[in-house]
């Protein structure tokens, strides 16, 4: 397969084509009467999947150049300036292995997956545990759609996400870290409409440095939950120990819900710095998404929900 080498911010024609496919199917389903009208609009819609109006960020979108040049990706660096180094990750061919307690363990190619889901745009706030934040228009699909495709068994309680391990990732040489990067959610959390699988941002395919070609996006939790470059998704009965929890269990836990009143042992979580402007703003519980997710935790008051 011939894949052009692109900068992270350039449009992948391939993804645009797929999104067009999904959208044209939607238009066809909308009924024969709409087809004539839909046809000219589709060319435009193809480059920009419809924005879901339900989730309003209430903040300005972070300029793309900040979201794509200030990153956390320990497989590449312990610093933030890694976007060029991350370009060694090639977005195609890309497969995700579905494993564990599900009807039929199998490997699925990202393009086959994209044909089975409804791609949309969501503008979400992102809050890193280090107290910086950004607001990003992601393209992708709700994780709940992947759950329907994967068909977990009744015994499965958790979903575990694992980042690809490419020998070209220099950080993997460091024995200090418990590679691979893994993260987990309960199946209830995963089924919540806010939990999202991102394959694009700013109307373009997802740049390698932001987790391309496919990452998790969980906006009510600290950013470390949103595992990048997904290679494996498994279903388990046992709660996984995530990457940061394995490194420092006194500082990072399983739940990692955002809460301004629960300090990190080494710094306050009360405020956050907006990438781009460097403005400081108050942090909100569940990163402001409490109306959608707080009920997930009503029976778990005894657990460490906010670290
Ligand atoms: N595989 C992997 N995923 C990761 C990380 C990482 O180091 N490796 N860092 C996490 C953290 S701490 C944050 S804040 C977000 C950062 O995403 P961004 O670089 O797109 O802003 O990615 C998360 N996902
Ligand atoms: Mo983070």
């Amino acid at each position: 397969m011939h894949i052009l080498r692109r900068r992270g911010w350039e449009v992948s024609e391939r993804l645009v084509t797929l999104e067009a496919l999904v959208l044209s199917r939607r238009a066809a389903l909308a009924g024969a009467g709409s087809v004539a009208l839909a046809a000219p609009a589709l060319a435009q819609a193809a480059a920009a999947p419809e924005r879901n109006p339900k989730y309003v960020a209430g903040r300005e979108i972070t300029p793309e150049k900040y979201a794509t040049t200030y990153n956390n990706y320990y497989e590449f660096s312990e610093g933030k300036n890694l976007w060029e180094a991350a370009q060694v990750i090639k977005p195609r061919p890309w497969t995700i292995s579905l494993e564990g307690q599900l009807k039929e363990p199998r490997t699925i190619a990202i393009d086959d997956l994209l044909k089975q889901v409804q791609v949309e745009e969501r503008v979400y706030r992102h809050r890193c545990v280090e107290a910086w934040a950004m607001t990003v228009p992601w393209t992708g699909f709700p994780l709940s759609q992947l759950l329907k495709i994967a068909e977990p068994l009744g015994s499965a309680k958790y979903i575990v996400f694992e980042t690809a391990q490419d020998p070209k990732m220099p950080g993997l040489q460091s024995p200090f870290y418990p590679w691979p990067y893994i993260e987990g959610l309960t199946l209830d959390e995963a089924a919540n409409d806010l939990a999202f699988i991102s394959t694009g941002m700013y109307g373009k395919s997802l740049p390698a440095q932001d987790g391309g070609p496919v990452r998790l996006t969980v906006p009510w939790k600290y950013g470390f939950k949103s595992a990048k470059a997904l290679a494996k998704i498994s279903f388990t009965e046992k709660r996984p120990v995530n990457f940061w929890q394995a490194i420092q269990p006194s500082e990072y836990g399983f739940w990692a819900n955002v809460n301004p009143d629960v300090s990190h042992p080494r710094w306050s979580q009360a405020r956050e710095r907006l990438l781009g402007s460097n403005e400081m703003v108050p942090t909100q519980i569940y990163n402001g998404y409490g109306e959608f997710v707080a009920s997930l935790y009503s029976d778990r008051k005894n657990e460490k929900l906010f670290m």
Side-chain angles (χ1 to χ4, degrees):
M1 188 187 321
H2 179 71
I3 298 176
L4 281 173
R5 196 185 153 82
R6 290 188 181 85
R7 297 295 188 90
W9 54 79
E10 286 174 338
V11 181
S12 156
E13 297 304 329
R14 181 191 301 271
L15 272 187
V16 166
T17 306
L18 275 162
E19 282 160 6
L21 241 174
V22 171
L23 286 159
S24 61
R25 194 182 55 184
R26 187 196 299 172
L29 288 172
S34 67
V35 169
L37 273 175
L42 269 177
Q44 271 204 326
E50 258 168 63
R51 182 170 293 183
N52 187 323
K54 186 172 172 194
Y55 305 109
V56 178
R59 288 180 185 174
E60 274 179 42
I61 287 175
T62 302
E64 182 180 356
K65 74 169 176 186
Y66 296 103
T68 56
T69 59
Y70 183 94
N71 298 99
N72 269 336
Y73 206 160
Y74 278 66
E75 286 86 337
F76 287 100
S77 171
E78 294 173 337
K80 307 294 183 208
N81 181 12
L82 53 87
W83 70 269
E84 281 174 301
Q87 304 312 310
V88 296
I89 298 299
K90 298 297 164 214
R92 295 293 187 280
W94 194 273
T95 58
I96 300 175
S97 167
L98 301 175
E99 299 182 20
Q101 297 175 13
L102 72 167
K103 199 167 162 194
E104 188 199 335
R106 62 198 186 275
T107 294
I108 187 163
I110 179 86
D111 293 327
D112 289 335
L113 179 59
L114 279 169
K115 281 178 210 154
Q116 296 175 55
V117 297
Q118 180 95 47
V119 174
E120 60 178 85
E121 186 179 68
R122 300 247 181 127
V123 181
Y124 279 164
R125 296 178 297 274
H126 171 102
R127 172 57 157 82
C128 176
V129 76
E130 299 162 336
W132 56 267
M134 61 181 180
T135 304
V136 171
W138 302 101
T139 354
F141 54 92
L143 177 53
S144 63
Q145 290 187 18
L146 179 60
L147 293 184
K148 287 201 187 92
I149 292 165
E151 297 184 272
L153 300 177
S155 52
K157 292 198 169 57
Y158 297 93
I159 179 168
V160 185
F161 302 87
E162 190 175 310
T163 296
Q165 296 187 84
D166 190 304
K168 293 194 208 80
M169 294 168 154
L172 297 185
Q173 304 307 319
S174 166
F176 174 75
Y177 293 104
W179 308 112
Y181 194 100
I182 72 146
E183 259 306 341
L185 299 172
T186 64
L187 278 192
D188 283 356
E189 291 177 321
N192 186 282
D193 186 55
L194 266 183
F196 201 65
I197 297 287
S198 297
T199 54
M201 71 197 299
Y202 297 92
K204 304 169 186 176
S205 55
L206 192 61
Q209 63 271 29
D210 289 285
V214 54
R215 76 179 280 173
L216 178 65
T217 305
V218 202
W220 72 96
K221 293 177 178 278
Y222 289 115
F224 66 80
K225 274 276 155 190
S226 296
K228 297 182 169 181
L230 301 177
K232 184 164 127 184
I233 295 178
S234 47
F235 295 90
T236 65
E237 223 173 307
K238 238 188 91 193
R239 184 179 296 181
V241 175
N242 48 310
F243 181 78
W244 288 106
Q245 191 182 13
I247 294 166
Q248 197 54 275
S250 63
E251 299 189 346
Y252 308 104
F254 172 76
W255 296 102
N257 294 310
V258 174
N259 188 336
D261 298 327
V262 179
S263 297
H264 186 280
R266 291 182 280 134
W267 58 84
S268 163
Q269 294 293 25
R271 301 194 314 147
E272 59 203 57
R273 176 177 62 88
L274 301 182
L275 280 196
S277 70
N278 284 341
E279 189 190 340
M280 296 296 297
V281 299
T283 288
Q284 299 170 266
I285 190 159
Y286 297 112
N287 199 23
Y289 295 103
E291 63 173 300
F292 306 113
V293 298
S295 65
L296 289 169
Y297 307 103
S298 49
D299 294 336
R300 298 193 185 272
K301 300 278 189 241
N302 297 325
E303 297 201 49
K304 289 189 170 173
L305 294 172
F306 303 107
M307 64 168 272

